Amino acid sequence: MQPLIEQPQFLLEPKSLYIFENQPIQLECKAIRTRQIFFNCDNKWVPENEHIKSTEINDRGVNVIITKIQLTVEQVESNAYKCFCQAWSATGGTLKSRTATIEIAYLDKIFEWEPLKTDSVIGKSVELRCRPPSGNPYPKVTWLKDNRPVEINRNGRFILSNENSLLIAQVRKIDAGNYTCVASNIAGSYSSEPAELIVHDNRGWSDWQPFSECKGIPCSTGRQRRVRTCLNPPTVTNRPSCDGEHMQERECPVPCLQDSPKVQDVPISEWSTCVGSPCQIGKQKRVRLCSKQTPCNTEEIEERDCSVPCTNSNTSNGIYSDWTNWSTCRLPECRSSRTRQCLQEPCRDYLIETRSCKENFCSSTFVSSSTLNAVVYSSAGIGVLIFLLLAILFVIICCRRRQRLPTKK
């Protein structure tokens, strides 16, 4: 008959803990029906002289073996440091406890995001952002208002978001003050710089101004607008402090232009190209060709609104002065010109125009520069050719004279 093997039983097993500087931790195991308990940390048996052993008798009169060890941050090499204890009974039974993980606790000093000065209007909501510094375990965030704890309540006006920002609903005048974000864990506690919350009275909008003049192509549907002003002061973060839009637009009928008094038998030019910003209302002109034979009883230049076509460019052409009078005909091209000035950039059209002069306006005796150049180059070519012929003739004469000289014997 085989002897009965009695198995140990743990009453207390080691727990996972955080460790940090100057604060050693203690792991403890308790077991019954055992003779001894040893700890194993980081896959190594802890030396026997580092074990703190004791015994006690429980309420049932059973002998309890207690074993403890102490660890310092210098012994823990990484956050994967693990320990367990193992018990042996007098009859050869053995039992291993659960494994405890020992992690190094820390807390940085620098916040990832500190709350900033902000403002709000009475009755609005406001958010004070805070991102705590990195730490292990993850730090807990609390808030202070004027160095007093803020009561966070999900059913109240002060709510802590999942990102640790402080949300204040239905802002009141008494909510104004300095708010501080506090991050803490077992390694310590750090506070952000105070951020001021300014609360303004809600004065709302001014009355709407009258609608503007109806803009558009005559005898068609145009648009007109009206605006109003937010009476609340500008916010620190440039966020709108009034609900709603500051401008309204509506369609409107554009009145037709009154016909000008007709002038019989006076020719009139076509309407010019519509000038102005793309997709906006521009101007176009036409001119009456008045003369002594056909005098004008009305203005020589007519002007009207027009719709400027839209383009892919966001910039429009510039503004120009009127053209000057045509100049007198100039030689040698026999052309006249006129100019204008750029009054506002960008100017992309020509600032100078030229045209051919009519017959008998230019002298026929003028020799153009191209003709003069042809004469010069022809004369130069002839001179070079004569020089070459004279050189060849000189060489031939020299050769013949040399042949006539008697040779020495």
Side-chain angles (χ1 to χ4, degrees):
M1 181 176 177
Q2 293 183 350
L4 180 64
I5 299 177
E6 190 176 33
Q7 293 292 338
Q9 179 184 350
F10 282 108
L11 302 179
L12 180 64
E13 297 180 74
K15 298 179 181 180
S16 296
L17 296 173
Y18 289 96
I19 188 172
F20 51 95
E21 295 180 358
N22 303 323
Q23 294 289 335
I25 61 172
Q26 188 176 80
L27 299 180
E28 182 178 0
C29 279
K30 291 183 181 182
I32 59 174
R33 300 193 297 272
T34 183
R35 292 180 58 189
Q36 58 182 353
I37 300 174
F38 280 93
F39 274 88
N40 185 301
C41 292
D42 200 23
N43 295 322
K44 298 176 184 178
W45 291 105
V46 177
E48 185 175 1
N49 60 354
E50 296 182 11
H51 288 75
I52 304 172
K53 299 181 179 181
S54 62
T55 60
E56 65 181 16
I57 304 298
N58 63 10
D59 297 340
R60 298 181 180 181
V62 178
N63 189 39
V64 180
I65 303 298
I66 305 172
T67 302
K68 304 176 183 178
I69 62 171
Q70 281 194 344
L71 295 176
T72 62
V73 70
E74 289 80 11
Q75 294 175 270
V76 180
E77 298 178 356
S78 66
N79 281 337
Y81 197 82
K82 301 180 183 298
C83 294
F84 67 88
C85 57
Q86 190 158 345
W88 285 268
S89 67
T91 59
T94 181
L95 182 65
K96 178 183 175 182
S97 72
R98 66 167 173 247
T99 301
T101 301
I102 311 302
E103 298 184 54
I104 300 175
Y106 70 93
L107 180 63
D108 289 342
K109 296 181 180 180
I110 301 176
F111 280 72
E112 293 185 9
W113 184 282
E114 292 194 78
L116 302 175
K117 179 180 178 180
T118 187
D119 56 357
S120 184
V121 176
I122 292 177
K124 303 291 183 180
S125 299
V126 68
E127 177 185 8
L128 294 169
R129 296 181 60 188
C130 178
R131 298 293 182 271
S134 59
N136 188 31
Y138 187 80
K140 178 183 178 181
V141 171
T142 57
W143 285 85
L144 303 176
K145 176 183 177 291
D146 297 331
N147 295 323
R148 294 182 180 180
V150 176
E151 294 184 7
I152 305 296
N153 186 351
R154 285 197 172 272
N155 296 323
R157 294 194 307 112
F158 293 87
I159 301 173
L160 188 65
S161 72
N162 294 332
E163 292 79 21
N164 296 305
S165 295
L166 181 63
L167 306 178
I168 306 177
Q170 298 296 317
V171 173
R172 301 173 183 174
K173 199 71 174 179
I174 59 174
D175 296 333
N178 293 313
Y179 287 80
T180 305
C181 179
V182 181
S184 57
N185 63 10
I186 60 174
S189 177
Y190 292 105
S191 300
S192 69
E193 290 294 326
E196 183 182 8
L197 172 62
I198 303 172
V199 179
H200 304 288
D201 293 328
N202 190 358
R203 293 183 289 174
W205 293 97
S206 66
D207 294 333
W208 286 104
Q209 297 181 9
F211 275 101
S212 64
E213 181 184 356
C214 190
K215 297 291 186 180
I217 300 175
C219 298
S220 64
T221 300
R223 299 191 69 83
Q224 59 184 170
R225 63 180 58 177
R226 65 175 182 175
V227 296
R228 60 179 178 175
T229 304
C230 180
L231 301 178
N232 295 327
T235 62
V236 174
T237 55
N238 292 323
R239 291 180 290 105
S241 57
C242 291
D243 293 333
E245 300 296 331
H246 78 284
M247 180 176 64
Q248 288 183 346
E249 286 190 356
R250 69 180 183 184
E251 293 184 348
C252 57
V254 182
C256 299
L257 295 177
Q258 297 294 330
D259 293 334
S260 301
K262 295 183 180 180
V263 180
Q264 300 296 331
D265 301 325
V266 178
I268 190 169
S269 67
E270 295 292 333
W271 286 105
S272 65
T273 304
C274 191
V275 178
S277 302
C279 300
Q280 301 293 327
I281 301 302
K283 295 288 184 180
Q284 57 183 172
K285 300 178 181 180
R286 64 178 180 179
V287 181
R288 294 186 182 277
L289 306 179
C290 304
S291 63
K292 293 182 178 180
Q293 291 76 18
T294 55
C296 294
N297 297 326
T298 59
E299 294 181 355
E300 296 183 10
I301 299 177
E302 293 183 4
E303 186 176 278
R304 71 178 182 183
D305 292 337
C306 58
S307 180
V308 182
C310 298
T311 62
N312 293 329
S313 173
N314 292 329
T315 58
S316 59
N317 204 346
I319 300 177
Y320 303 85
S321 66
D322 294 333
W323 288 102
T324 60
N325 295 327
W326 288 102
S327 65
T328 56
C329 292
R330 298 178 180 177
L331 299 173
E333 290 83 0
C334 195
R335 298 179 68 85
S336 64
S337 63
R338 65 175 182 176
T339 61
R340 61 177 175 177
Q341 295 181 349
C342 177
L343 302 180
Q344 181 176 331
E345 293 290 346
C347 295
R348 296 185 174 86
D349 292 338
Y350 294 107
L351 300 179
I352 300 177
E353 284 186 350
T354 61
R355 67 179 182 183
S356 299
C357 294
K358 297 181 180 180
E359 296 179 358
N360 302 327
F361 274 80
C362 299
S363 174
S364 60
T365 59
F366 181 81
V367 179
S368 65
S369 59
S370 58
T371 305
L372 182 61
N373 290 338
V375 173
V376 171
Y377 289 137
S378 300
S379 301
I382 294 173
V384 171
L385 181 61
I386 294 173
F387 175 78
L388 291 176
L389 292 174
L390 292 175
I392 293 172
L393 181 61
F394 178 76
V395 171
I396 294 173
I397 294 174
C398 290
C399 290
R400 288 184 176 181
R401 286 185 177 181
R402 188 172 182 180
Q403 289 177 357
R404 292 176 182 177
L405 293 177
T407 58
K408 294 182 180 181
K409 296 183 179 181

